[in-house]
């Protein structure tokens, strides 16, 4: 099982502290090999490379590898895969334990509970999108309401996914 503790200055994954972008092998040592690695965009021009997404279908998360530095610059926890909807969306929802600013995010967590109970200073970006950031760290939340019988979305939103980004200098020529 994966246990993740998130604050705005660090992330701890199964006891390993992350304070900046890391080599993929560092996270593979903690999470095991990804189920698949996806190039999420149309092919890059000759001599270039897109970001790569390391997908853990069985864990319900994916890692974002920067195209130039080849460092993992963030991790995404997917709680409602049917609503995330990308080619790299994991097949299963996140199955580990996630403590976000002291609040344990459970499957089906409501947006309002998470925002009000987490210690992180979230601010609304758009309806259903929240962000907390400091010194190159950021935590984003995406939430949607389930569809009602009429096809509209309920005003009571639940968490679709939580995205973390770590300090990273993509212009670093010596990664």
């Amino acid at each position: 099982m994966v246990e993740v503790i998130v604050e705005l200055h660090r992330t701890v994954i199964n006891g390993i502290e992350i304070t900046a972008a890391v080599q993929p092998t560092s996270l593979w040592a903690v999470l095991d090999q990804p189920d698949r690695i996806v190039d999420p965009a149309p092919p890059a021009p000759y001599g270039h490379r897109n970001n790569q997404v390391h997908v853990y279908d069985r864990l319900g998360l994916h890692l974002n590898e920067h195209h130039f530095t080849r460092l993992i610059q963030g991790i995404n926890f997917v709680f409602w895969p049917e609503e995330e909807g990308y080619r790299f969306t994991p097949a299963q929802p996140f199955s580990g334990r996630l403590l976000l600013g002291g609040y344990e995010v459970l499957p089906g967590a409501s947006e309002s509970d998470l925002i009000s109970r987490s210690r992180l200073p979230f601010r609304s970006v758009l309806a259903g999108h929240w962000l907390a950031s400091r010194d190159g760290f950021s935590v984003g939340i995406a939430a949607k309401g389930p569809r009602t019988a009429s096809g509209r979305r309920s005003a009571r939103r639940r968490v679709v996914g939580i995205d973390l980004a770590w300090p990273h200098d993509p212009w670093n020529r010596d990664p």
Side-chain angles (χ1 to χ4, degrees), residues 82-142:
E82 301 80 15
E83 288 294 333
E84 190 187 49
Y86 299 118
R87 284 187 324 127
F88 51 85
T89 296
Q92 302 294 318
F94 180 66
S95 61
R97 183 169 188 239
L98 176 61
L99 292 170
L100 190 62
Y103 174 74
E104 185 171 0
V105 184
L106 298 173
S110 78
E111 171 190 56
S112 59
D113 281 350
L114 193 157
I115 298 304
S116 66
R117 294 182 181 175
S118 171
R119 289 190 301 267
L120 301 183
F122 286 106
R123 61 182 170 79
S124 178
V125 179
L126 291 169
H129 294 274
W130 298 82
L131 181 68
S133 60
R134 184 177 79 202
D135 299 330
F137 284 90
S138 69
V139 179
I141 298 170

